[in-house]
Amino acid sequence: MSRRTDNHHRAATICRAATGLPHRMCLGWAEAGLIDYRQPVPDAEDEGQRLLESLLVAELADGLREGDLRDGALFGFTSARPGRGALALGLHPAMADPVLATVLPRIDQHYGGLRGVPGLRIVPTGRNWALIHLPGRAAVHLVHPDPDWRPVLPEHGDGLTQLWRRNRHRLHPAEATDLRERAGAGADPGSAAAQDWLNSRLLRRPRLLGAAGAAHGSANVYTHGGGDLVVEWCCAVERDELERRLRRSGLAQRPARVPERLRDQPWFPGEIAMGGAFVTLRRGPCYAPDASARRYG
């Protein structure tokens, strides 16, 4: 076997482990030059696509309850088919409706404002469904194991207004304000853009993160104010091993357009830094004798 062929298979093996796609599909990408062993999972090349994927990750990390995380599907997805211009995600059947209820935008008076991903809309695409972001028309396609699946979509309720139902083709003023504030927030827009890269890449590697929830089916995932992501879990995979797998998958490979930062060197074990953005992995002790009682340190 030539070195080039060996590198193709190496990239395909990592791609399959990260996405859940068949090896032959990943190998075809490697042979076509779409991936290599340094970046074995295709990145979203469009800024709007990365923004949508990053917003989904942040909302699902903070919005899903711990008990909702099933069978290691930390964000509700079991597989990914990433492309440079789009992304298709395989839904965990038990998580499909909670995922949609979490990400679709609504005004929650009890919460005190907008929840969900601003500008997100759901549309049918033949027998499947897609999440479309109105500002740039970026899309994430949803694939369910049941070909006849139809989502149970959230309704209006007491103090709850589903914006995606009332404003199907245009932004609600609250959504437009939220997106403007996000674009102008912070003194370091470069770090925000880098965080979008990292979050997007995490969404495209559901099988790797699934190892963190493999023992009890769930993990504690959250962000610091919608920014950097933290994953906490117990048992199953060791922290160093999960970090090794994520790094090998190209998670922290800095794109040429993202400037290097002094803070890109990790300050403590389990921190993955790139361009001033962060993902932190924390593995704590297990206090649960069975899967019915979970607590993560």
Side-chain angles (χ1 to χ4, degrees):
M1 181 182 292
S2 69
R3 181 176 179 180
R4 181 178 180 183
T5 300
D6 184 59
N7 284 338
H8 287 165
H9 279 279
R10 179 182 173 189
T13 298
I14 301 171
C15 172
R16 177 183 56 80
T19 64
L21 291 173
H23 182 87
R24 62 182 180 277
M25 180 178 292
C26 294
L27 182 60
W29 288 352
E31 291 172 343
L34 299 177
I35 61 174
D36 58 36
Y37 69 90
R38 292 178 298 272
Q39 191 53 260
V41 179
D43 276 332
E45 289 296 318
D46 180 72
E47 181 180 353
Q49 185 69 31
R50 291 194 301 274
L51 171 62
L52 170 58
E53 294 173 21
S54 180
L55 289 171
L56 288 172
V57 164
E59 196 62 35
L60 289 167
D62 290 333
L64 286 175
R65 298 186 305 275
E66 183 178 315
D68 285 333
L69 302 174
R70 311 288 178 84
D71 298 339
L74 268 61
F75 297 116
F77 307 109
T78 59
S79 63
R81 181 170 180 171
R84 293 181 173 178
L87 173 65
L89 294 170
L91 285 160
H92 188 294
M95 292 297 298
D97 293 330
V99 162
L100 294 177
T102 300
V103 299
L104 288 172
R106 66 265 186 208
I107 297 290
D108 187 340
Q109 295 180 6
H110 302 294
Y111 172 76
L114 179 66
R115 304 190 73 177
V117 175
L120 192 69
R121 301 296 184 265
I122 185 169
V123 298
T125 56
R127 300 184 68 179
N128 293 316
W129 298 79
L131 297 172
I132 305 294
H133 201 220
L134 288 180
R137 306 304 297 179
V140 169
H141 297 268
L142 304 174
V143 180
H144 196 280
D146 179 359
D148 296 320
W149 172 72
R150 292 186 63 84
V152 179
L153 297 173
E155 300 285 351
H156 302 298
D158 180 27
L160 199 64
T161 303
Q162 300 291 343
L163 298 184
W164 60 275
R165 287 188 179 275
R166 291 197 172 179
N167 296 63
R168 291 183 180 274
H169 305 293
R170 57 186 175 87
L171 292 175
H172 183 276
E175 295 178 291
T177 298
D178 189 282
L179 289 170
R180 277 198 308 272
E181 290 177 349
R182 185 188 190 278
D188 190 354
S191 291
Q195 193 67 51
D196 287 345
W197 276 97
L198 271 182
N199 286 359
S200 170
R201 286 175 171 178
L202 281 171
L203 193 64
R204 291 166 173 246
R205 292 156 170 78
R207 286 295 181 90
L208 291 181
L209 278 182
H216 297 305
S218 70
N220 186 24
V221 189
Y222 59 92
T223 72
H224 290 134
D228 57 298
L229 191 79
V230 180
V231 182
E232 296 178 337
W233 76 99
C234 72
C235 308
V237 66
E238 295 288 341
R239 183 198 62 211
D240 291 350
E241 175 60 17
L242 181 56
E243 180 179 350
R244 185 190 70 81
R245 294 178 191 176
L246 287 169
R247 289 187 181 278
R248 186 180 68 164
S249 77
L251 181 70
Q253 187 76 23
R254 186 171 56 84
R257 70 194 77 175
V258 174
E260 187 175 6
R261 304 296 175 94
L262 177 63
R263 188 65 177 85
D264 284 357
Q265 297 301 315
W267 285 16
F268 49 81
E271 182 182 80
I272 301 174
M274 187 273 288
F278 307 94
V279 175
T280 302
L281 307 175
R282 295 175 181 163
R283 183 183 187 272
C286 180
Y287 299 93
D290 55 54
S292 63
R294 302 185 183 98
R295 179 183 171 189
Y296 299 91

